[in-house]
Amino acid sequence: LGPASASTGYSIGTYSSGGYSTGTAVTAQTGTAITSTDWTLDNWGATLLACTENGGIYQWTPSAGIENAQLISGAPAKNTGMFLATEIQILIAYGASTEETIGIDQDPLLVKWSNQGDYTDWVISDTSQAGERRLSNGSRCVGGLAAPQFNLIWTDVGVWAMNYLGFPLVFGFNPLAQGCGLIGKHAAVRQASNVYWMSQTNFYVLGGGAPQVLKCDVWDVVFQDLNTALDPSTGLPYSARSWAWSNTPFNEVFFFFPRASTSATQPDFYVKFNTLEGVWDYGPMDRTCGIDQSLLGMPIAAAATGLIYEHEVSNNADGQPIGWYFETGWFQIAEGEEIAFVDWLLPDAKWGDFGGAQTATMDITLYSVYYPGDTPQTHGPEATTISTQYTNPRLRGRLAKMRVGGNDLNSFVRLGGIRYRWAPDGRL
């Protein structure tokens, strides 16, 4: 529904229109409300294109004033989703519908595309580049994406490449791999020249050649805690709401998913891959959709509550301190054969922004065990600052792990090489 139209009257609108000094009554613009739980969006220049789940494709142009989004009458009436092949200006719809003599039927494996340079023209003819192709395996198209060298279409069992061939064939379709289907419509993302996605049982990357399994050190955190219960409103598992997000400024790719352990029906947890260092981390975060760095600024993401967040713009959370931490896995203090005694730990970090005040506080907590599976002994937390020369944890054990965190305002910490001193302390 659009906003109210402008008032008219003396000195307001056209001369002599409306009642003298009163104008005419303000009328609200009317439209048809669209009910949809999922959308795919893209931009055709300044025009926004929006496709509802299993619905039509709409257009909205800012230069059209206060008009509502308009249904593109020539586009397929029902679609799983759509995306724009930017370099050739062709709009691609997947899970599209066909018009038969008895009505409209949605085909979950049908891919359709518009004429080049015209997203309203989908008529297949000898003079148009509009066309269609039904994929030959899988049960449905799940998602699509414009990749650096070609376009990608995922089914529930594999991934296809759409190569632009030009008129008259327009697109060639090649199956890149099977067994690496997309878990959800928004679970694929492009960063630089690579495409990353989440399948039902693994993460994958495509940077040229064939898709490769992305080695994941926290695989069990995701795939042993996915909420795969069926959503009665869609007939798909809640895990299909998993989605991928690129954070280009920090070379990170997030994968958000709903956990079974919390009975979440919306994504409430993430695992994150650092594409530069090849390392993973994870944690709780309620985000359901987002965009990468853009003309609007740093990455933006939304929560299921309806709040929209701009990320990576401050060391604080809207004026409040961010409680942060990371925790290592277990490591051997020495060789692991003898009990070790650690009596000295040397903090090493930068305690503030580059060129700024070095005033952050970093809390260090150590845990130790004699054998794997023991109840850990806790040492700390020890609050350390730039003036802290060392701490005395007095830790005994064969294995240790470390937790580093903080909760002060305006703080930034960059870790260096934290060192410790140990000595043999008998056997157990």
Side-chain angles (χ1 to χ4, degrees), residues 218 247 252-255 270-274 279-282:
V218 294
N247 183 10
E252 296 171 339
V253 174
F254 287 78
F255 297 96
Y270 75 89
V271 292
K272 174 161 56 71
F273 179 64
N274 187 297
V279 296
W280 292 82
D281 66 89
Y282 61 87

Side-chain angles (χ1 to χ4, degrees), residues 138-161:
S139 63
R140 61 188 179 92
C141 293
V142 178
L145 184 70
Q149 298 179 351
F150 39 70
N151 302 294
L152 296 173
I153 298 287
W154 283 269
T155 68
D156 51 346
V157 299
V159 58
W160 291 70

Side-chain angles (χ1 to χ4, degrees), residues 45-246:
T47 298
L48 172 67
L49 301 177
C51 179
T52 66
E53 174 82 19
N54 299 322
I57 302 176
Y58 294 81
Q59 60 176 331
W60 181 84
T61 303
S63 60
I66 58 173
E67 282 188 10
N68 295 335
Q70 303 294 313
L71 185 67
I72 303 174
S73 59
K78 293 185 178 181
N79 307 275
T80 300
M82 61 88 198
F83 65 96
L84 176 64
T86 311
E87 73 286 358
I88 52 176
Q89 285 291 288
I90 291 179
L91 186 60
I92 300 171
Y94 51 89
S97 57
T98 59
E99 293 190 19
E100 306 294 343
T101 56
I102 59 173
I104 297 174
D105 181 35
Q106 186 174 5
D107 187 336
L109 285 174
L110 183 63
V111 179
K112 284 190 169 186
W113 57 90
S114 72
N115 192 13
Q116 186 176 27
D118 187 356
Y119 59 82
T120 67
D121 180 8
W122 297 72
V123 178
I124 301 174
S125 70
D126 293 338
T127 59
S128 170
Q129 294 202 44
E132 63 180 41
R133 167 71 181 270
R134 191 178 192 276
L135 302 185
S136 57
N137 56 23
S139 63
R140 61 188 179 92
C141 293
V142 178
L145 184 70
Q149 298 179 351
F150 39 70
N151 302 294
L152 296 173
I153 298 287
W154 283 269
T155 68
D156 51 346
V157 299
V159 58
W160 291 70
M162 290 181 61
N163 297 287
Y164 181 67
L165 304 177
F167 190 82
L169 298 177
V170 189
F171 284 110
F173 286 75
N174 300 308
L176 295 180
Q178 298 298 308
C180 56
L182 197 62
I183 193 172
K185 184 190 303 184
H186 306 289
V189 69
R190 173 181 172 180
Q191 185 175 108
S193 60
N194 293 332
V195 176
Y196 301 85
W197 73 90
M198 179 178 175
S199 186
Q200 291 84 356
T201 56
N202 265 313
F203 298 104
Y204 290 87
V205 59
L206 177 63
Q212 302 293 323
V213 175
L214 198 60
K215 182 179 179 294
C216 181
D217 300 319
V218 294
W219 181 92
D220 53 331
V221 173
V222 187
F223 296 103
Q224 292 181 352
D225 198 19
L226 264 178
N227 188 353
T228 57
L230 289 181
D231 178 0
S233 64
T234 64
L236 299 174
Y238 289 113
S239 57
R241 297 182 179 179
S242 303
W243 67 285
W245 184 36
S246 174

Side-chain angles (χ1 to χ4, degrees), residues 216-346:
C216 181
D217 300 319
V218 294
W219 181 92
D220 53 331
V221 173
V222 187
F223 296 103
Q224 292 181 352
D225 198 19
L226 264 178
N227 188 353
T228 57
L230 289 181
D231 178 0
S233 64
T234 64
L236 299 174
Y238 289 113
S239 57
R241 297 182 179 179
S242 303
W243 67 285
W245 184 36
S246 174
N247 183 10
T248 299
F250 288 87
N251 306 295
E252 296 171 339
V253 174
F254 287 78
F255 297 96
F256 291 86
F257 63 96
R259 287 180 291 173
S261 58
T262 58
S263 300
T265 59
Q266 297 286 351
D268 67 335
F269 208 79
Y270 75 89
V271 292
K272 174 161 56 71
F273 179 64
N274 187 297
T275 60
L276 187 63
E277 300 178 356
V279 296
W280 292 82
D281 66 89
Y282 61 87
M285 188 185 295
D286 169 20
R287 298 291 186 273
T288 57
C289 63
I291 61 172
D292 198 355
Q293 182 183 22
S294 67
L295 293 174
L296 298 175
M298 297 300 275
I300 297 173
T305 59
L307 290 176
I308 298 176
Y309 297 88
E310 186 176 15
H311 288 247
E312 316 296 3
V313 293
S314 170
N315 294 334
N316 305 318
D318 196 21
Q320 300 299 314
I322 297 177
W324 64 271
Y325 78 91
F326 81 88
E327 191 173 298
T328 71
W330 291 101
F331 58 88
Q332 294 183 8
I333 300 175
E335 298 300 324
E337 185 174 323
E338 295 180 319
I339 301 299
F341 177 71
V342 178
D343 70 335
W344 183 86
L345 183 137
L346 174 65

